[in-house]
Amino acid sequence: MKISYNWLKQFIQTNHTPQELSLILTNIGLEVESLETVQPIVGGLAGLVIGEVLTCVQHPNADRLRVTTVNVGAAEAIQIVCGAPNVAAGQKVVVATVGTTVYPNEGEPFKINKSKIRAEVSEGMICAEDEIGLGVSHDGIMVLAEDAVVGTAAKDYFKMEDDYLFEIGLTPNRADAASHLGVARDLAAFLRTDLKMPDVSSFQTANEDLKIGVRVEDTVACPRYSSVSISGVTVKASPDWLQDKLKVIGIRPINNIVDITNYVLHDLGQPLHAFDADEIAGAQVIVKKCADKTPFVTLDGVTRELSSEDLMICDAEKPMTIAGVYGGKNSGVSAETKNIFLESAYFNSVSVRKTAKRHTLKTDASFRYERGTDPEMTVFALKRAALLIQELAGGVISSEVGDLYPAPIAPFDVQVSYKNITKLIGAAIPDEEIKAIITSLGIEVAAESAEGLSLKVPTFKVDVTRECDITEEVLRIYGYNNIEIPAKVNASLSFTSKPDKEQTQHSIADMLTANGFLEIWCNSLTKGVYSKNEEEAVKILNPLSSDLNVMRQSLLMPALESVAYNLNRRSGDIKFYEFGKTYHLINEKYVERPRLMIVLSGANTSEQWNDKPVAVSFYNLKAAVDAILGRLGISNYQTEELSNEDYAFGLKYFRGQQTIVSFGAVTAADKKLADIDKDVYYADFDWDLLLDIVKKNKIVNKEIPKYPAVRRDLSMLVDTAVTFDTLKTIAFKTEKKLLKNVQVFDVYVGDKLPENKKSYALNFTLQDEDQTLTDKQIDAVMQKIIANLAQTAKAEIRK
């Protein structure tokens, strides 16, 4: 929520700086997420000065240009080439000097530089009003009054006042602070100063010539409906002060009537709606729910189907607005509007919330209604808006204030005990201080005793209904920082090394399970015949049997026994994983090594009526391995083909001398030991090494790229010994900044190719995070990659 510093000062008298108020607001529960200096006009007219045109002559080389000399209050006059048809000697003008950045209404900002225009030096720019955001006309330069003082900063001449914008992270329970009044009320309570409310005492009805009848059929969804009619208004642009107020908080000015309703909304927190009274059929407003699926065109031109639960503001013939949420296309004020019906209502928060969610509409009005507005504010806000309309749009008040409020909402009665407040806060606050804070927040003390207070909580504090809520209000204003930390604090301290081993393991286990893997737990005791390194075997001194006479050196063989067990029971589609340890005797010391193992066999997908099962392959295993490393944020490693007795074929990922993971096809010998005749693939991770790498990882958040990626494909012939990883490495070494990804999408080996050759088709993804790549840039990168592939891998690019 955006709050203006200057606007706040209309409600409270304070000499506190914006920075000081920012800290105070945060301390009293209205967290300021950002504070920035703003101006109603972008750029704040910085660098612009008032100048006087001393001379103006025809440009010697251009019919439509003039060469002028301008006094800007400096030691010497400057020469400016100007193309405006109305420029003339003796004029007082606005000048952008060299180095000034100009912010036009349309287009990008630009900096004024000293330049030559058709061979004539130009040292600035004489400005039109649309070039500096002071208007929309571009018919010529701005010509100021003769009494304008040369050398005066344009910011001072136009009385451009800096403002400060607080961005407040408003919590859902603080509906009372969803306006400048609400924020000022909290500040006034903290600063112990008076709150100045707008004066509406001059409101009076001139006549009753514009009566609009009002009927509320659903008083649960609309407990209060206030209204007034104003005739003879002139719809036009708002004055600068009102436009500036709205611009500072990010609201686009529309016209004086709509701007006033927006102003009162952000001023007092009460949403209003102005109807063209002449468009209200039958001079009758009916607040009701329409039939289900009734079509309704909203202000944005979208036709929506209404629900029978949507509360609508209707006239005698049709719905006009969705109550508290959004206006209808023809319900608002136009340039031809002369008479206005002004609505100020209190709608049920639950009803508005459901309607807004149903139609996926979020507006400033619904934001406040959903959280709960003040039912006692409707008439006051109505009068405030009506007086502003009279001031800025003319017209007269042509009806009495209509106020349908059949069941007034009473203040909340709350009993508080000083003792309980002290107990909850954990510090002794004087009773008089507690009472002073409560009354400063607008809460009425109905009765008082030595033990506590009987309070009547005003209706604008919709979330303060219990003693603990009052305690929170007292603590907010008293100050959390004023509560001393006791000398003795009882706590249980724990230390967990980073990364958390269990949490990391659970995250990988959850990912694998979500992808169809099942976790297995195998016995650490296994057959001695499974040990491939006899010297490292950890043997059991008194084994129960020869099948359980040694500790496992690998997770593979016990897992293969589980695979065989499932295959023998016709459960052949295997996706297993296990976290476990292997055991070794090294230099007469027993060593335990945590590992992660995954096993695949059978079909990758089950048989469907419209699809045949596809057998798992090495690439399914590789995808699972890459997913695990990606989940852990590990991407920097080298790749090498395996050539040992543990795998029929496969790969290993490593860093230096340390192997992160080995994965590939199980050898025929190992399958024979487990009595398996199906293809089986497995991966073996060094879990301790993974945790060590993760510990050193630094998480960096990046924005989603703004500029599109580009894909280029290359088809090439290479020697059969050349791997995709080799080609990928060459590509990334060639282009480190723009190249984001390399993928292989086709491999062909056959008798149609030269001997000892194979064909690869690769795609290269290029992207620049700072700009859109041009064809020239892309071609340059691809040519470098082609050249290095040809030189390093002897690749022949196929045209």
Side-chain angles (χ1 to χ4, degrees):
M1 184 183 68
K2 293 178 171 60
I3 294 294
S4 157
Y5 172 72
N6 291 340
W7 199 331
L8 278 178
K9 291 169 71 175
Q10 295 178 186
F11 289 100
I12 56 172
Q13 187 110 26
T14 179
N15 293 321
H16 287 78
T17 66
Q19 292 73 21
E20 290 170 340
L21 286 187
S22 176
L23 183 60
I24 291 171
L25 287 170
T26 298
N27 287 338
I28 62 177
L30 298 173
E31 182 182 0
V32 177
E33 297 176 340
S34 67
L35 172 63
E36 59 178 314
T37 305
V38 293
Q39 299 87 16
I41 295 175
V42 179
L45 304 182
L48 302 178
V49 297
I50 306 304
E52 181 179 7
V53 181
L54 301 178
T55 64
C56 178
V57 298
Q58 180 67 43
H59 193 295
N61 302 315
D63 294 337
R64 296 186 179 182
L65 298 179
R66 305 287 187 275
V67 179
T68 68
T69 55
V70 182
N71 177 15
V72 292
E76 296 181 0
I78 60 175
Q79 179 171 297
I80 298 176
V81 177
C82 181
N86 64 329
V87 64
Q91 292 173 337
K92 299 290 181 67
V93 293
V94 180
V95 179
T97 55
V98 171
T100 298
T101 299
V102 176
Y103 297 85
N105 289 342
E106 297 181 0
E108 295 297 320
F110 59 91
K111 188 175 182 180
I112 301 298
N113 298 309
K114 183 177 180 180
S115 61
K116 283 190 175 182
I117 301 176
R118 295 289 184 93
E120 292 294 329
V121 172
S122 184
E123 299 177 287
M125 183 176 80
I126 303 175
C127 303
E129 62 180 40
D130 69 323
E131 293 172 329
I132 54 177
L134 285 174
V136 296
S137 173
H138 194 70
D139 294 336
I141 59 171
M142 291 185 70
V143 179
L144 309 179
E146 292 183 1
D147 60 355
V149 179
V150 172
T152 303
K155 177 179 178 180
D156 297 332
Y157 177 81
F158 290 104
K159 298 179 181 179
M160 190 68 58
E161 185 180 8
D162 280 347
D163 201 349
Y164 299 87
L165 189 66
F166 302 97
E167 184 73 43
I168 294 178
L170 193 68
T171 53
N173 65 317
R174 292 305 312 278
D176 61 301
S179 65
H180 285 79
L181 169 62
V183 173
R185 186 188 293 118
D186 271 14
L187 284 173
F190 180 85
L191 299 172
R192 302 301 169 86
T193 187
D194 293 333
L195 184 68
K196 297 182 295 182
M197 291 293 289
D199 183 12
V200 297
S201 60
S202 61
F203 177 91
Q204 61 181 3
T205 301
N207 56 61
E208 295 188 27
D209 296 340
L210 189 59
K211 288 185 177 180
I212 305 290
V214 178
R215 184 173 81 249
V216 178
E217 295 185 359
D218 190 334
T219 56
V220 174
C222 179
R224 187 173 193 179
Y225 193 93
S226 306
S227 60
V228 72
S229 299
I230 305 169
S231 61
V233 300
T234 301
V235 179
K236 58 185 177 180
S238 298
D240 291 343
W241 72 263
L242 179 54
Q243 292 195 38
D244 291 348
K245 289 284 187 188
L246 297 177
K247 286 177 182 177
V248 163
I249 60 172
I251 304 297
R252 180 177 63 88
I254 298 174
N255 59 53
N256 51 357
I257 305 300
V258 175
D259 293 350
I260 287 168
T261 61
N262 283 330
Y263 175 78
V264 173
L265 166 67
H266 291 276
D267 190 51
L268 303 177
Q270 174 60 43
L272 305 172
H273 189 83
F275 296 84
D276 187 329
D278 297 327
E279 296 295 324
I280 300 176
Q284 183 77 15
V285 170
I286 306 168
V287 183
K288 64 178 183 178
K289 293 176 179 177
C290 297
D292 199 37
K293 297 187 181 303
T294 298
F296 180 68
V297 182
T298 46
L299 197 59
D300 54 4
V302 176
T303 301
R304 291 178 163 86
E305 283 191 351
L306 299 178
S307 163
S308 59
E309 296 301 314
D310 294 334
L311 186 69
M312 302 297 296
I313 310 300
C314 308
D315 61 18
E317 299 175 356
K318 62 188 180 301
M320 297 188 294
T321 67
I322 303 176
V325 180
Y326 211 39
K329 186 174 182 181
N330 300 315
S331 70
V333 172
S334 67
E336 290 74 34
T337 298
K338 298 300 179 185
N339 302 311
I340 288 173
F341 175 78
L342 195 60
E343 166 196 282
S344 178
Y346 172 71
F347 298 118
N348 181 278
S349 59
V350 175
S351 173
V352 172
R353 188 181 307 120
K354 288 181 177 179
T355 295
K357 185 177 181 180
R358 190 179 296 119
H359 296 290
T360 62
L361 290 170
K362 289 292 179 184
T363 61
D364 284 337
S366 69
F367 174 84
R368 286 156 179 83
Y369 279 128
E370 287 176 31
R371 286 156 177 78
T373 57
D374 179 12
E376 298 303 316
M377 182 56 71
T378 60
V379 173
F380 184 90
L382 196 69
K383 292 180 177 179
R384 171 78 164 138
L387 289 173
L388 286 170
I389 289 172
Q390 278 191 299
E391 178 186 344
L392 305 182
V396 294
I397 298 172
S398 298
S399 74
E400 294 290 345
V401 171
D403 187 23
L404 298 181
Y405 197 15
I409 299 172
F412 304 110
D413 293 320
V414 180
Q415 303 291 324
V416 297
S417 161
Y418 293 131
K419 181 180 178 180
N420 288 343
I421 290 177
T422 299
K423 182 180 178 181
L424 282 172
I425 290 176
I429 301 176
D431 294 353
E432 287 303 314
E433 177 74 5
I434 292 174
K435 180 182 175 182
I437 291 173
I438 288 173
T439 55
S440 69
L441 287 168
I443 301 172
E444 179 186 349
V445 177
E448 182 178 4
S449 68
E451 287 74 30
L453 303 169
S454 295
L455 305 175
K456 289 191 177 295
V457 180
T459 50
F460 61 77
K461 286 194 170 291
V462 296
D463 200 54
V464 179
T465 58
R466 302 166 298 169
E467 185 180 40
C468 60
D469 298 328
I470 296 292
T471 303
E472 181 185 359
E473 293 292 285
V474 171
L475 182 55
R476 280 196 311 107
I477 303 304
Y478 182 76
Y480 294 99
N481 294 334
N482 292 327
I483 305 300
E484 294 183 2
I485 298 175
K488 181 181 179 182
V489 177
N490 297 322
S492 298
L493 301 177
S494 61
F495 173 78
T496 304
S497 60
K498 302 295 182 182
D500 187 317
K501 294 183 179 180
E502 289 187 2
Q503 185 176 352
T504 304
Q505 180 173 320
H506 288 329
S507 69
I508 297 302
D510 289 344
M511 185 193 75
L512 289 170
T513 301
N515 283 276
F517 285 79
L518 299 174
E519 185 173 10
I520 59 173
W521 288 352
C522 296
N523 198 338
S524 297
L525 296 174
T526 188
K527 299 177 182 179
V529 69
Y530 291 161
S531 298
K532 295 183 179 180
N533 189 336
E534 190 68 24
E535 293 180 356
E536 290 186 7
V538 178
K539 298 178 181 179
I540 305 301
L541 294 178
N542 298 300
L544 296 176
S545 71
S546 59
D547 289 338
L548 301 171
N549 63 348
V550 69
M551 303 291 286
R552 62 185 178 186
Q553 291 183 342
S554 167
L555 301 186
L556 173 63
M557 294 312 299
L560 288 180
E561 290 181 349
S562 296
V563 172
Y565 184 89
N566 281 270
L567 289 174
N568 291 337
R569 285 156 182 78
R570 296 187 178 180
S571 179
D573 300 334
I574 306 297
K575 296 177 79 172
F576 291 158
Y577 71 92
E578 180 182 8
F579 289 93
K581 293 180 178 179
T582 60
Y583 305 88
H584 311 268
L585 179 62
I586 301 174
N587 297 327
E588 299 182 353
K589 291 183 179 181
Y590 294 110
V591 177
E592 296 182 5
R593 293 174 176 166
R595 316 293 291 184
L596 165 62
M597 182 267 317
I598 59 177
V599 173
L600 295 176
S601 185
N604 185 48
T605 56
S606 59
E607 186 175 4
Q608 302 291 333
W609 69 270
N610 61 347
D611 197 12
K612 295 180 180 179
V614 179
V616 296
S617 68
F618 169 82
Y619 297 100
N620 298 123
L621 178 69
K622 184 178 183 298
V625 169
D626 291 343
I628 291 171
L629 296 181
R631 181 68 180 81
L632 295 173
I634 300 172
S635 58
N636 186 19
Y637 50 79
Q638 297 168 283
T639 304
E640 187 178 280
E641 285 191 32
L642 287 170
S643 56
N644 58 42
E645 61 178 355
D646 295 325
Y647 298 87
F649 62 89
L651 294 174
K652 75 172 181 178
Y653 295 163
F654 63 99
R655 283 185 175 182
Q657 301 299 316
Q658 296 178 305
T659 299
I660 298 172
V661 58
S662 301
F663 58 98
V666 177
T667 63
D670 287 337
K671 289 192 293 181
K672 185 176 180 180
L673 281 175
D675 195 22
I676 296 173
D677 59 358
K678 305 287 187 183
D679 288 337
V680 181
Y681 303 88
Y682 88 105
D684 180 25
F685 292 83
D686 186 337
W687 188 246
D688 261 355
L689 178 57
L690 287 177
L691 292 176
D692 187 56
I693 295 172
V694 170
K695 179 168 59 178
K696 299 173 184 177
N697 278 353
K698 292 184 179 180
I699 298 175
V700 178
N701 293 326
K702 289 186 176 181
E703 292 185 358
I704 296 174
K706 298 179 181 178
Y707 302 98
V710 178
R711 169 176 160 165
R712 289 291 185 269
D713 297 341
L714 287 180
S715 179
M716 64 195 74
L717 285 177
V718 295
D719 295 334
T720 52
V722 175
T723 64
F724 165 67
D725 189 70
T726 300
L727 301 175
K728 183 177 178 181
T729 301
I730 293 170
F732 276 108
K733 284 183 177 179
T734 303
E735 178 53 54
K736 296 179 180 179
K737 179 184 177 183
L738 300 181
L739 185 61
K740 302 301 180 183
N741 193 24
V742 181
Q743 292 287 344
V744 57
F745 65 88
D746 189 40
V747 180
Y748 176 75
V749 179
D751 53 6
K752 295 182 180 180
L753 298 178
E755 188 177 357
N756 297 323
K757 293 285 186 179
K758 61 183 175 182
S759 172
Y760 268 139
L762 310 181
N763 66 59
F764 301 81
T765 302
L766 304 173
Q767 188 175 42
D768 192 333
E769 296 178 359
D770 299 320
Q771 63 181 349
T772 300
L773 289 172
T774 63
D775 289 339
K776 186 176 180 180
Q777 290 174 299
I778 297 167
D779 292 339
V781 171
M782 293 307 299
Q783 288 304 317
K784 287 195 296 181
I785 292 174
I786 290 170
N788 283 348
L789 288 174
Q791 181 179 355
T792 308
K794 309 300 181 186
E796 300 175 27
I797 304 302
R798 305 180 73 180
K799 303 296 184 181

